[in-house]
Amino acid sequence: METTILIGKDYGYADQVLDFYTQTLNPLSAGYARIKVKAAGINPIDARRMTGEFKHSSTPQAFGTEFAGEIVEINGSTTFQKGDAVLGSGGQFTHASIIDVPVVNLVAKPQNISWEVAGSLAGVAQTAMTIIDELGPIKSLLIHGASGGVGSISIQLAVERGIEVVATASAKNQEYLKNLGATPVEYGPGLIERIKAIHPAEFDASVDMVGTEEATQASLATVKADGQMRAISGRPLSSNKIQALWVKRNVNNLQYVVDGISSDKFQWTIDSVFPFSEAKSAYSQILEGHNRGKVVLAF
Ligand SMILES: NC(=O)c1ccc[n+]([C@@H]2O[C@H](COP(=O)([O-])OP(=O)(O)OC[C@H]3O[C@@H](n4cnc5c(N)ncnc54)[C@H](OP(=O)(O)O)[C@@H]3O)[C@@H](O)[C@H]2O)c1
């Protein structure tokens, strides 16, 4: 059996470095499922690895952390079998036509969730659950850059726990943030004054999802002295009072979000879907950083 993998031949922009590579698969290892991928979300980290901003691996490199698809072969599972529709975090990569995934990463795909939604869940769902769990029992939260993948579900998880959320995005996403349950604020000059006008009390916590100096200054100006200030973008920040936060993979957390979407408790927004053959356009779009919700590759 063969798989076609999206690769970055070198570090650079999509048009320069992305290509497809077809290879024969090795025999399936014990504890793994072989998946025919139907959809796979793209995360900013994929595009940032492509450019070389993050050098997690040497080139040529493959991408993708999440997927949904159908099991075509399985080696050592009593829970899943050939033909099952599943989703989850990948093994080494997911932007490929056939992938091998540890069985422990798999979650059954509910029938009432589309392939595109199922394939774009794992990364940001587990990140958002990590954020909300690590912040603990807070009452108010400021989120910078909340209309993207991580922010959209983080707002809903926070609101579900009774946390009051103020969230930033551009003008076009204000109504969207409101519908998710947050009080929206436009980022840009005057941000601190606008936040204080709508939320005069200091926040218990902030999470920065963009990594801008503006977000750093707004957190420092509006979060309690003993509050928590966290950042997930991995970009260098000017204040060491803001602590980095990294996703902890946890299949139970993923299942929680899947159940919430399947039962209509949570909304899941797909910004755009690109055929796998048009991955270059999808990577270019996500690098621009203005998607609402998720960008997805369909196979
Ligand atoms: N630490 C970890 O473990 C971890 C895990 C997952 C992701 N991440 C990182 O976290 C970041 C967010 O991920 P994501 O998937 O949510 O990204 P995303 O989906 O690409 O976020 C895009 C959103 O960012 C908003 N935005 C762009 N520029 C902004 C600005 N100057 N101020 C405020 N908002 C702005 C956009 O809103 P407008 O369109 O309205 O401008 C857009 O809706 C990325 O850097 C990603 O690499 C880290």
Side-chain angles (χ1 to χ4, degrees):
M1 194 181 286
E2 287 188 329
T3 182
T4 298
I5 306 167
L6 179 72
I7 56 158
K9 294 179 288 187
D10 205 341
Y11 300 119
Y13 290 106
D15 284 339
Q16 304 158 337
V17 302
L18 291 186
D19 205 351
F20 295 96
Y21 177 75
T22 298
Q23 69 179 31
T24 302
L25 288 155
N26 291 324
L28 187 63
S29 304
Y32 275 73
R34 184 154 286 171
I35 313 282
K36 183 173 173 14
V37 177
K38 299 279 194 183
I42 309 181
N43 286 291
I45 192 67
D46 298 312
R48 296 168 75 189
R49 286 180 55 222
M50 172 186 76
T51 62
E53 181 189 348
F54 280 95
K55 290 186 175 154
H56 288 178
S57 50
S58 56
T59 57
Q61 58 176 338
F63 308 99
T65 56
E66 58 201 8
F67 73 93
E70 197 175 286
I71 297 176
V72 291
E73 189 183 340
I74 190 150
N75 186 352
S77 169
T78 49
T79 316
F80 295 101
Q81 58 189 8
K82 189 175 166 182
D84 283 352
V86 289
L87 64 95
S89 299
Q92 292 177 305
F93 53 83
T94 61
H95 295 170
S97 58
I98 310 267
I99 56 173
D100 290 352
V101 177
V103 168
V104 291
N105 290 11
L106 301 180
V107 166
K109 179 184 114 30
Q111 273 190 346
N112 67 345
I113 294 184
S114 70
W115 285 114
E116 286 78 10
V117 170
S120 61
L121 276 166
V124 302
Q126 292 175 101
T127 304
M129 287 292 286
T130 306
I131 291 169
I132 301 303
D133 282 345
E134 291 204 6
L135 291 176
I138 56 169
K139 290 203 162 55
S140 59
L141 172 63
L142 170 65
I143 304 180
H144 299 284
S147 49
V150 183
S152 296
I153 185 65
S154 296
I155 290 173
Q156 297 175 77
L157 291 167
V159 168
E160 188 197 19
R161 293 192 189 187
I163 299 167
E164 182 191 6
V165 181
V166 173
T168 76
S170 65
K172 73 174 194 296
N173 282 319
Q174 297 296 292
E175 198 58 30
Y176 173 71
L177 294 180
K178 206 170 162 187
N179 286 337
L180 295 177
T183 301
V185 183
E186 270 184 56
Y187 63 76
L191 174 62
I192 294 173
E193 290 69 30
R194 282 194 294 284
I195 294 172
K196 286 185 172 174
I198 57 155
H199 195 275
E202 291 179 314
F203 292 95
D204 291 340
S206 67
V207 182
D208 175 5
M209 303 192 173
V210 285
T212 57
E213 180 60 15
E214 177 183 82
T216 295
Q217 291 307 324
S219 290
L220 292 170
T222 62
V223 174
K224 288 174 183 165
D226 61 350
Q228 304 177 60
M229 290 181 282
R230 311 299 294 270
I232 67 163
S233 79
R235 298 196 167 93
L237 302 176
S238 64
S239 171
N240 59 14
K241 290 184 178 165
I242 300 175
Q243 293 180 313
L245 187 151
W246 299 102
V247 58
K248 293 191 174 77
R249 278 191 183 186
N250 178 326
V251 80
N252 296 324
N253 281 346
L254 175 56
Q255 183 74 62
Y256 184 79
V257 175
V258 169
D259 291 345
I261 291 167
S262 178
S263 65
D264 278 340
K265 183 168 65 170
F266 301 136
Q267 295 178 44
W268 197 259
T269 305
I270 304 286
D271 180 283
S272 35
V273 179
F274 291 83
F276 186 42
S277 58
E278 291 175 23
K280 286 181 183 179
S281 303
Y283 272 64
S284 299
Q285 179 179 319
I286 198 126
L287 204 53
E288 286 172 13
H290 293 287
N291 48 284
R292 178 189 287 173
K294 294 290 299 183
V295 177
V296 190
L297 296 173
F299 292 72

